[in-house]
Amino acid sequence: MALARREGMKAGDRLIEQRLADALDLSRAPIRLGLKALEAAGLARGEPHRGFVLAKNPTSGAAQPALAAVRRNEQVYATIAGDVLASRLPANVTEAELMRRYGLSRAELQRLLDRIAAEGWIARLPGYGWRFAETVSSPEAQAQAKAFRAVIEPAAILQPGFALPQEVIIRLRERQQRVFDGELEKMTIGEIFHSGCEFHEEIVRGAGNPFFLEALKRVNSIRRLFAYRSFADRDGMRRHVREHLRLLDVLETRRYAEAADLMARHLQRPLMAGVS
């Protein structure tokens, strides 16, 4: 439902399994389960020859409980991320400690731990407990991630045969324009982060080299932890989105050398003073 809201979908729009799987980086099996759960909640319905469609607008009152669950999950995630960054949590933790500290059920905690483990900043200890990675929240890791992106993303644009289909440019522009025009104020920090990752990953995809894309996805999954600190600055994010729109204008006219230069400067500019 959060994705439907970000994309400006309305009641009656199709919920296409493969498109959702690609957007959420999942296989189609859990997407199918999610669609059935939405149907049971009255937020989606199955139609002959169309598959699932939205039954309610994502901005409607009926959708708010689902979106509230997203916000609750993001709030706890952001709190854990903040505690890791501020060294308020020990390197080794138990599930019982985390459940007590954050007021979570075991199922809620397990979903969060699975997500954090997939992003690479916690790992299960042999036998018992979990350990937070020491490197992902360090200033050195932040600087290294920033430097890495400043190399590979402009380089991807300069690859022979780089091409960004017009329909991709249109889709990215529509999404970024909605964010700039006011959607930003309604988005969770997690949704803002996802939107930015999607924008940059789609551009890198234009190089036609899967190694560029996989490398960027990997660094983005690690970068999420410390990105939360700067993404709270909505004015800085609005400037960032304005640069995204400018970059799309240049890419649309195939001025790739200029686009690569814009991308390099965009990635080197901090979102807010003192934060890289």
Side-chain angles (χ1 to χ4, degrees):
M1 291 303 293
L3 179 64
R5 184 181 63 181
R6 287 200 302 272
E7 295 194 353
M9 296 177 71
K10 306 293 184 186
D13 287 349
R14 290 184 65 199
L15 295 165
I16 300 172
E17 283 185 13
Q18 191 58 57
R19 189 177 299 169
L20 292 169
D22 292 342
L24 300 175
D25 199 21
L26 294 167
S27 69
R28 292 176 68 170
I31 294 296
R32 203 167 292 126
L33 290 173
L35 291 171
K36 288 178 180 177
L38 288 181
E39 184 178 39
L43 298 174
R45 65 175 181 271
E47 291 190 349
H49 313 299
R50 295 192 73 203
F52 284 97
V53 301
L54 270 178
K56 303 286 185 180
N57 288 337
T59 54
S60 68
Q64 293 316 300
L67 293 171
V70 172
R71 287 191 292 271
R72 157 73 172 160
N73 183 67
E74 286 296 329
Q75 286 167 357
V76 176
Y77 177 101
T79 301
I80 294 174
D83 287 345
V84 171
L85 287 168
S87 300
R88 288 190 290 264
L89 281 171
N92 293 353
V93 293
T94 66
E95 292 184 10
E97 290 169 340
L98 293 174
M99 288 166 59
R100 187 165 54 250
R101 182 182 182 105
Y102 299 106
L104 299 170
S105 68
R106 187 168 296 279
E108 289 172 330
L109 177 64
Q110 193 59 58
R111 284 195 292 270
L112 272 173
L113 290 175
D114 287 345
R115 172 182 172 182
I116 294 169
E119 291 170 3
W121 51 281
I122 200 171
R124 187 184 291 276
L125 291 170
Y128 185 71
W130 296 76
R131 174 176 293 160
F132 288 105
E134 295 179 5
T135 56
V136 295
S137 62
S138 69
E140 292 80 10
Q142 297 181 44
Q144 288 164 356
K146 181 178 177 180
F148 181 74
R149 294 182 66 209
V151 170
I152 68 162
E153 294 193 44
I157 295 172
L158 293 175
Q159 290 297 295
F162 177 90
L164 208 59
Q166 185 64 24
E167 60 268 22
V168 173
I169 292 175
I170 291 171
R171 185 176 77 249
L172 291 177
R173 182 181 284 123
E174 287 177 349
R175 291 179 182 176
Q176 293 295 304
Q177 193 65 55
R178 282 200 304 272
V179 172
F180 186 78
D181 289 342
E183 189 67 23
L184 182 66
E185 304 305 323
K186 306 172 188 175
M187 296 167 73
T188 66
I189 293 177
E191 288 177 301
I192 295 170
F193 180 81
H194 181 87
S195 175
C197 288
E198 177 188 54
F199 177 86
H200 285 270
E201 288 168 10
E202 283 293 339
I203 290 175
V204 166
R205 194 189 302 274
N209 184 330
F211 290 101
F212 279 100
L213 183 59
E214 288 305 315
L216 180 58
K217 285 186 173 183
R218 173 61 179 161
V219 79
N220 277 342
S221 70
I222 294 173
R223 191 173 62 90
R224 181 189 296 264
L225 176 60
F226 44 80
Y228 270 67
R229 181 182 290 169
S230 56
F231 277 32
D233 176 15
R234 300 302 167 109
D235 289 337
M237 281 307 308
R238 196 168 285 103
R239 290 192 299 272
H240 222 57
V241 172
R242 189 184 298 118
E243 292 179 5
H244 285 177
L245 291 167
R246 170 62 180 156
L247 184 59
L248 287 174
D249 290 342
V250 176
L251 286 168
E252 189 170 32
T253 56
R254 302 183 182 180
R255 302 186 335 256
Y256 295 141
E258 182 181 346
D261 182 61
L262 278 174
M263 179 66 86
R265 286 187 278 125
H266 172 70
L267 292 171
Q268 289 162 1
R269 185 176 294 117
L271 279 173
M272 59 187 293
V275 178
S276 61

